[in-house]
Amino acid sequence: MCIRDRIHSALQEDIGSGDITTECTVPENLMLTGRFIAKSAGVIAGLEVAAHVFRYLDPEVKTAFVFRDGDLVTEGDLIGTVQGPGRAILSGERVALNFLQRMSGIATTTRRFVESVRDTAAVILDTRKTVPGLRLLDKWAVRIGGAGNHRFGLYDMALIKENHIVAAGGIRSAVAMIRKKYARSRRIEVEVTALAELEEALGLDVEMIMLDNFSLADMRKAVE
């Protein structure tokens, strides 16, 4: 699904057969202007998505933003304006804000983690633990916040976890099975739960190793 599909789905969920209140109270030819105001400090994200929501409902709606995705805003900042047919603005307002607020929240939280490791070689990555149907936007917000994307789904990378290891008969055999089918066209990551498993995984020429529930002391040993 592309972003337009997600916008369509969100608007259909919210508007359904029609915005009863707006259709009854707002004249068809009424033009309105709205402002986006920051209610708190953070990283702004999702401006283009919000703009697309309004344009999807009516191409005559125009948005103009003072900031760009990834910029820091403070409480009270004017982020931008929206102008055009009133019905489209009022009917799309909540969906546009939902996307904007969620993505900005993710980007803001992500930036905190990124800043916390700024003086190290560590790279912050995300997970697949996203809201169903919003993964593309959630992961986009992570990148706006300054972090990187892990795998997008089960299809673009192999992540061998405990259940896979048991089913395959061990870490070595699990890696061999995947290499046999995909060679090097898919990255392989192995999740390990102990230093002994780490030692085994290190000898298998995999691209990534995940340390699962390691203590800080064991994590330091693993990194060394």
Side-chain angles (χ1 to χ4, degrees):
M1 292 178 67
C2 65
I3 292 174
R4 183 177 176 83
D5 293 329
R6 285 159 175 77
I7 290 173
H8 170 80
S9 177
L11 289 171
Q12 183 59 41
E13 176 183 63
D14 201 37
I15 298 175
S17 59
D19 179 352
I20 295 172
T21 313
T22 297
E23 289 176 0
C24 291
T25 62
V26 178
E28 191 171 358
N29 61 351
L30 180 67
M31 307 296 282
L32 293 177
T33 299
R35 297 185 300 162
F36 296 91
I37 304 292
K39 293 293 186 72
S40 61
V43 178
I44 197 70
L47 295 174
E48 279 304 306
V49 180
H52 277 297
V53 169
F54 293 116
R55 288 200 295 270
Y56 186 96
L57 289 172
D58 193 320
E60 295 301 314
V61 178
K62 307 297 182 185
T63 53
F65 297 111
V66 179
F67 295 92
R68 295 183 299 178
D69 280 346
D71 286 345
L72 288 170
V73 297
T74 59
E75 183 178 355
D77 279 347
L78 173 64
I79 298 170
T81 59
V82 56
Q83 295 179 312
R87 287 188 174 185
I89 291 176
L90 291 176
S91 294
E93 172 190 18
R94 176 43 52 197
V95 169
L97 289 176
N98 283 350
F99 281 131
L100 189 59
Q101 290 169 332
R102 178 173 178 80
M103 291 183 69
S104 295
I106 292 172
T108 299
T109 301
T110 299
R111 183 69 59 85
R112 294 195 191 106
F113 282 96
V114 171
E115 288 297 316
S116 72
V117 298
R118 181 176 53 183
D119 297 325
T120 75
V123 177
I124 301 297
L125 298 177
D126 55 21
T127 75
R128 287 169 47 240
K129 298 172 184 176
T130 55
V131 172
L134 293 181
R135 182 168 298 172
L136 179 62
L137 297 176
D138 284 355
K139 284 181 170 284
W140 184 8
V142 165
R143 294 188 69 86
I144 292 172
N149 297 138
H150 194 219
R151 56 177 178 166
F152 267 79
L154 299 174
Y155 55 86
D156 62 337
M157 175 182 172
L159 174 48
I160 300 171
K161 299 170 76 69
E162 182 179 7
N163 291 333
H164 304 115
I165 293 170
V166 172
I171 295 175
R172 183 175 299 275
S173 57
V175 171
M177 291 173 181
I178 295 170
R179 288 285 188 229
K180 181 178 180 180
K181 181 170 183 178
Y182 290 103
R184 292 284 175 175
S185 66
R186 295 292 189 276
R187 293 178 299 158
I188 295 179
E189 178 174 354
V190 177
E191 180 182 272
V192 299
T193 59
L195 290 170
E197 290 183 346
L198 172 65
E199 290 289 350
E200 182 178 2
L202 284 171
L204 298 177
D205 192 26
V206 296
E207 284 77 14
M208 300 178 72
I209 297 176
M210 179 188 294
L211 309 179
D212 182 41
N213 292 324
F214 272 47
S215 67
L216 288 177
D218 281 347
M219 189 178 294
R220 291 189 181 96
K221 292 179 184 177
V223 171
E224 291 171 3

